[in-house]
């Protein structure tokens, strides 16, 4: 049995790569986790504006990584996609995650919601990306590769990375215990 787990993350964003590494380190503490990022197309808008589009983006990214790994060098493929949607409670941002083990059985998960101010949502409806809008409003630079909108709006009590980690850990449950999830 190998003591190393190789991850292929469907992004070159250091926040996403580190989130995948930390989630797998938490779930597999006896293993050394090696992460490689890959620029994987989402096949959706740069700023997904629905739950369905966000989920599809994560699934597309993870499938792309799986298909590109012709040497079968990764044990798991991981992707994260942030999105926005309007719910009964208001406008929210959230993320979908997708994990694809080398056996090809996909597991997806979703983060918690973060309420967004309407003035931000209006700009997103004008085809701006959330990270760019947050940089403008909060006078930051490249916040999407740091704490994200989540960090800014929670005074860093939660961050983009922390919600990815939680969603990934939860999405690993069916992989860890397939006997309880099989039909």
């Amino acid at each position: 049995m190998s003591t190393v787990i190789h991850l292929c993350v469907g992004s070159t964003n250091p926040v996403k790569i580190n989130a995948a590494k930390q989630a797998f380190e938490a779930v597999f503490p006896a293993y050394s986790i090696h992460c490689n990022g890959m620029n994987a197309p989402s096949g959706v808008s740069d700023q997904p504006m629905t739950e369905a589009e966000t989920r599809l983006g994560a699934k597309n990214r993870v499938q792309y990584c799986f298909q590109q790994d012709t040497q079968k060098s990764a044990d798991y493929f991981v992707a994260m996609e942030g999105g926005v949607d309007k719910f009964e409670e208001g406008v929210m941002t959230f993320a979908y995650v997708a994990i694809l083990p080398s056996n090809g059985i996909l597991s997806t998960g979703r983060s918690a919601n973060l309420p967004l101010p309407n003035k931000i949502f209006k700009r997103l409806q004008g085809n701006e990306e959330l990270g760019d809008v947050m940089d403008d409003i909060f006078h930051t630079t490249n916040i999407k590769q740091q704490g994200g909108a989540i960090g800014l709006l929670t005074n860093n009590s939660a961050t983009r990375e922390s919600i990815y980690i939680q969603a990934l850990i939860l999405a690993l449950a069916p992989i860890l215990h397939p006997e309880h999830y099989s039909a």
Side-chain angles (χ1 to χ4, degrees):
M1 179 187 231
S2 174
T3 58
V4 176
I5 293 175
H6 294 276
L7 302 180
C8 177
V9 180
S11 177
T12 57
N13 184 325
V15 169
K16 292 181 178 184
I17 294 168
N18 197 43
K21 184 173 180 15
Q22 286 189 52
F24 275 75
E25 285 174 342
V27 173
F28 299 103
Y31 290 81
S32 176
I33 309 300
H34 293 193
C35 271
N36 289 314
M38 173 187 291
N39 188 7
S42 68
V44 299
S45 305
D46 288 342
Q47 179 57 69
M49 295 296 286
T50 66
E51 270 195 291
E53 186 181 20
T54 307
R55 183 184 313 108
L56 180 60
K59 289 169 73 174
N60 287 346
R61 286 181 194 273
V62 84
Q63 289 287 349
Y64 178 86
C65 292
F66 184 77
Q67 292 164 359
Q68 297 303 307
D69 187 37
T70 56
Q71 302 298 318
K72 301 301 174 214
S73 58
D75 299 303
Y76 294 90
F77 304 87
V78 179
M80 293 148 262
E81 186 75 26
V84 174
D85 207 341
K86 193 168 190 175
F87 299 94
E88 186 178 329
E89 299 82 14
V91 177
M92 307 283 176
T93 187
F94 49 85
Y96 266 92
V97 300
I99 303 171
L100 189 58
S102 56
N103 68 12
I105 300 173
L106 179 69
S107 180
T108 59
R110 187 185 179 289
S111 74
N113 286 335
L114 171 73
L116 284 179
N118 282 329
K119 69 179 183 178
I120 291 173
F121 183 60
K122 286 179 182 166
R123 290 184 59 179
L124 300 179
Q125 289 176 307
N127 294 322
E128 291 185 70
E129 283 188 60
L130 181 57
D132 297 335
V133 173
M134 298 307 289
D135 280 341
D136 182 48
I137 292 172
F138 283 85
H139 308 292
T140 54
T141 302
N142 200 17
I143 197 64
K144 67 183 175 183
Q145 290 194 2
Q146 299 165 50
I150 295 160
L152 291 173
L153 292 171
T154 67
N155 293 337
N156 288 309
S157 295
T159 63
R160 189 173 192 209
E161 188 172 292
S162 71
I163 64 108
Y164 288 153
I165 292 168
Q166 183 184 49
L168 287 166
I169 289 171
L170 297 178
L172 279 165
I175 294 167
L176 296 170
H177 300 282
E179 70 279 10
H180 298 298
Y181 291 88
S182 58

